[in-house]
């Protein structure tokens, strides 16, 4: 194989799994040299119970390996022991006792191993200097994801219970410190995408954290994709919420070049509720000039306020997703819809036909409802998903059944994109 061109050797390595790469490099010196660039995955995953930040730091200081890393995923999620175990016990209630005990015993050992590792390693913010030095030394770093909800474990029971929002716990003060450390570590790095799937919204209410993020999130200027799921359950009162939304808006407006934006609100303290949001307070009259894809989920707002915000992006917006899974359990209908406390969906969708002339796709998911239950204009819909966030078709969920009155959003998409017929809500509106 030494006689083959380097391009062909690279092609061979590109089709090898990590173990095969290591074995192939041992064959000859030339293969060892060419295979160097394939030793590491382009995506580095750090978990809180291993010394992964130390490992990332070592990679970043290695002249040949540092170029391999293009994305970093940092997992900061934790399980609530008693909630997880009660949930898993009910999940496996019908299983034979010996099988259930073996299954749960194995998961308990894994859980205890993880907790021991977490205590030994300590919180991430204590290793903030190493993380900052590592990130600044990675020349090809473009994508960063911070996840609290996507379980990286192999144990099936732990993976299953992690899908239940009530089984996840969050040390909020420690989370503030960890997120602050990550933002500081990314200072000056030109990222393409940034994702956080459980960001405590009250973080932006406090002066020190607001200032810290506004100072060090300047790397947002290069972002093309921003995906933030906010947890507003730590807010207390409208004044606190107003200040937090104002702080969040300042951070969002740093990302002037966004092409894709997702804003979701998941209130863990009340999983079925929506977060009251004023787009005027969040953005004032700011417009993302290049925005082609927008997702909004778990919002309670005014029709005109939402319509005005969307209309400002009519010149560029191609794909719009309203709603999502929210904090639904695996067997529940999607909860992350849209609530209108003023206006109607009929007026909203009719207006979007004119205000979004370039729109190519519209997707609705979750519970959509407007106020004024006693009026004929009241609308309530329960949409099941037709596509994922990459707009790929998905199978109909197993929780969809006629008794739950779940419907497809396709008639509404056709109405907004093409018009030419009566408003579909007249036939589909459901009274609960």
């Amino acid at each position: 194989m030494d006689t083959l061109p380097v391009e062909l050797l690279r092609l061979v390595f590109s089709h090898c799994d990590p173990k095969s790469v290591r074995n192939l490099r041992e064959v000859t010196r030339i293969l060892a040299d060419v295979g160097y660039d394939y030793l590491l995955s382009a995506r580095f995953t750090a978990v809180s119970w291993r010394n992964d930040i130390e490992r990332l730091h070592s990679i970043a200081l290695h002249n040949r390996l540092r170029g391999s890393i293009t994305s970093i995923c940092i997992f900061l999620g934790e399980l609530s022991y008693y909630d997880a175990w009660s949930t898993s016990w009910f999940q496996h209630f019908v299983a034979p006792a010996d099988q259930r005990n073996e299954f749960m015993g194995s998961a308990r050992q894994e859980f205890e191993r993880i907790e021991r590792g977490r205590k030994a390693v300590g919180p991430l913010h204590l290793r903030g200097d190493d993380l900052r030095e590592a990130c600044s030394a990675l020349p090809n770093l473009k994508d960063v994801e911070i996840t609290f909800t996507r379980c990286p474990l192999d144990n099936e029971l732990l993976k299953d219970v992690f899908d239940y929002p009530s089984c996840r716990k969050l040390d909020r003060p420690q989370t503030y410190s960890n997120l602050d450390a990550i933002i500081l570590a990314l200072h000056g790095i030109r990222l393409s995408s940034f994702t956080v799937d459980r960001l405590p919204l009250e973080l932006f209410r406090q002066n020190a954290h607001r200032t810290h993020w506004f100072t060090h999130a300047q790397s947002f200027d290069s972002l093309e994709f921003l995906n933030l799921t906010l947890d507003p359950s730590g807010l207390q009162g409208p004044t606190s919420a107003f200040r937090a939304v104002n702080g969040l808006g300042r951070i969002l407006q740093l990302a002037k070049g966004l092409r894709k934006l997702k804003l979701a609100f998941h209130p863990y303290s009340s999983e079925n509720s929506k977060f009251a949001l004023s787009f005027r307070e969040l953005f004032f009259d700011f417009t993302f000039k290049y925005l082609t894809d927008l997702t909004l989920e778990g919002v309670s707002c005014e029709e005109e306020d939402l319509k005005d915000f969307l209309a400002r992006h009519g010149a560029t917006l191609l794909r719009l997703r309203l709603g999502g899974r929210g904090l639904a359990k695996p067997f529940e209908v999607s909860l992350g819809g849209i609530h209108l406390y003023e206006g109607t969906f009929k007026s909203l969708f009719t207006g979007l036909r004119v205000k979004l002339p370039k729109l190519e796709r519209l997707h609705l998911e979750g519970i959509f409802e407007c106020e004024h239950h006693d009026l004929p204009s009241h609308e309530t819909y329960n949409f099941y998903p037709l596509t994922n966030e990459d707009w790929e078709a998905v199978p109909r969920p197993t929780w969809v059944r006629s008794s739950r009155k779940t419907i497809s959003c396709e008639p509404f998409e056709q109405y907004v994109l093409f018009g030419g017929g009566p408003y579909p809500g007249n036939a589909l509106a459901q009274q609960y």
Side-chain angles (χ1 to χ4, degrees):
M1 291 185 68
D2 285 356
T3 60
L4 292 175
V6 171
E7 292 77 11
L8 285 181
L9 295 179
R10 291 185 179 277
L11 183 63
V12 171
F13 273 109
S14 69
H15 288 81
C16 293
D17 57 35
K19 183 178 180 181
S20 299
V21 169
R22 292 193 295 270
N23 291 338
L24 191 56
R25 289 187 69 243
E26 294 178 357
V27 176
T28 69
R29 288 183 178 180
I30 291 179
L31 288 173
D33 185 66
V34 174
Y36 224 110
D37 296 333
Y38 299 87
L39 279 173
L40 297 177
S41 168
R43 180 178 176 83
F44 184 91
T45 299
V47 298
S48 56
W49 57 88
R50 296 192 309 239
N51 287 315
D52 286 336
I53 301 303
E54 182 179 332
R55 187 162 66 95
L56 179 65
H57 186 265
S58 298
I59 293 170
L61 297 182
H62 194 287
N63 288 333
R64 292 198 60 177
L65 294 179
R66 67 173 65 168
S68 301
I69 306 298
T70 62
S71 68
I72 296 175
C73 176
I74 301 176
F75 176 76
L76 297 176
E78 293 186 51
L79 277 175
S80 169
Y81 180 86
Y82 293 105
D83 290 326
W85 251 248
S86 60
T87 298
S88 61
W89 193 89
F90 282 111
Q91 281 181 324
H92 300 92
F93 176 75
V94 297
D98 56 344
Q99 181 179 337
R100 182 175 64 245
N101 292 338
E102 180 181 356
F103 194 49
M104 294 184 65
S106 174
R108 185 178 291 107
Q109 290 178 0
E110 178 72 358
F111 178 86
E112 292 171 350
R113 181 187 68 82
I114 289 171
E115 289 304 301
R116 287 194 302 270
R118 198 191 309 276
K119 290 178 181 178
V121 172
L124 180 140
H125 66 86
L126 296 181
R127 289 156 288 144
D129 290 342
D130 285 347
L131 180 62
R132 182 179 182 183
E133 187 174 352
C135 290
S136 63
L138 296 173
N140 298 321
L141 180 61
K142 295 297 181 184
D143 308 302
V144 172
E145 177 184 4
I146 306 161
T147 179
F148 296 82
T149 65
R150 295 199 300 110
C151 182
L153 300 173
D154 294 327
N155 186 280
E156 290 300 323
L157 186 147
L158 296 181
K159 288 174 66 174
D160 288 345
V161 296
F162 223 93
D163 287 337
Y164 288 73
S166 60
C167 294
R168 307 171 196 150
K169 71 175 183 178
L170 188 73
D171 183 327
R172 302 185 90 85
Q174 182 171 294
T175 299
Y176 307 154
S177 298
N178 288 339
L179 292 174
D180 283 352
I182 293 171
I183 286 297
L184 177 60
L186 298 176
H187 184 92
I189 297 175
R190 297 190 62 78
L191 295 177
S192 297
S193 72
F194 183 74
T195 299
V196 187
D197 63 14
R198 188 178 179 181
L199 176 55
L201 184 54
E202 72 273 13
L203 182 78
F204 301 112
R205 178 186 62 82
Q206 304 169 38
N207 281 330
H209 297 298
R210 284 162 60 105
T211 302
H212 180 88
W213 275 65
F214 193 73
T215 301
H216 299 293
Q218 300 300 324
S219 59
F220 280 24
D221 181 66
S222 61
L223 287 181
E224 295 184 1
F225 177 43
L226 180 59
N227 181 347
L228 298 181
T229 299
L230 291 306
D231 176 6
S233 56
L235 296 173
Q236 297 180 347
T239 302
S240 175
F242 173 82
R243 185 166 175 78
V245 167
N246 178 265
L248 172 64
R250 288 184 64 194
I251 301 302
L252 292 174
Q253 291 172 47
L254 294 173
K256 298 181 179 66
L258 280 185
R259 297 184 181 277
K260 297 182 179 181
L261 172 64
K262 176 180 178 180
L263 282 180
F265 293 84
H266 290 178
Y268 277 74
S269 58
S270 179
E271 297 172 2
N272 293 320
S273 65
K274 310 290 189 298
F275 179 70
L277 180 68
S278 166
F279 291 95
R280 288 185 292 271
E281 293 176 0
L282 181 63
F283 290 111
F284 299 99
D285 58 352
F286 180 82
T287 301
F288 296 101
K289 296 181 180 180
Y290 309 102
L291 193 68
T292 61
D293 294 73
L294 175 65
T295 300
L296 298 172
E297 177 185 330
V299 171
S300 176
C301 60
E302 297 176 353
E303 175 210 328
E304 289 300 322
D305 187 29
L306 174 58
K307 192 189 301 182
D308 288 346
F309 173 68
L310 295 176
R312 292 207 300 272
H313 300 88
T316 59
L317 196 61
L318 302 178
R319 290 166 289 274
L320 174 63
R321 301 181 72 89
L322 297 177
R325 279 295 287 162
L327 291 175
K329 299 178 179 65
F331 56 85
E332 291 181 327
V333 299
S334 294
L335 299 177
I338 301 292
H339 174 263
L340 297 180
Y341 56 79
E342 282 190 16
T344 65
F345 290 109
K346 180 178 182 180
S347 175
L348 173 66
F349 293 137
T350 302
L352 294 184
R353 290 169 57 180
V354 177
K355 295 180 182 296
L356 301 180
K358 293 191 174 182
L359 196 68
E360 298 175 355
R361 295 298 309 271
L362 172 69
H363 187 270
L364 311 174
E365 181 181 356
I367 298 174
F368 283 57
E369 186 174 23
C370 58
E371 286 290 353
H372 315 300
H373 291 257
D374 54 340
L375 296 179
S377 59
H378 174 69
E379 297 176 79
T380 298
Y381 309 102
N382 188 343
F383 296 107
Y384 61 82
L386 300 179
T387 68
N388 58 24
E389 293 188 355
D390 294 321
W391 296 95
E392 300 166 334
V394 296
R396 179 177 294 194
T398 56
W399 45 260
V400 174
R401 36 188 177 269
S402 58
S403 61
R404 286 177 162 172
K405 301 181 180 179
T406 47
I407 60 174
S408 165
C409 70
E410 188 172 0
F412 292 84
E413 181 183 29
Q414 296 297 312
Y415 177 78
V416 171
L417 298 185
F418 307 111
Y423 176 62
N426 294 334
L428 297 174
Q430 304 155 19
Q431 303 295 330
Y432 286 93

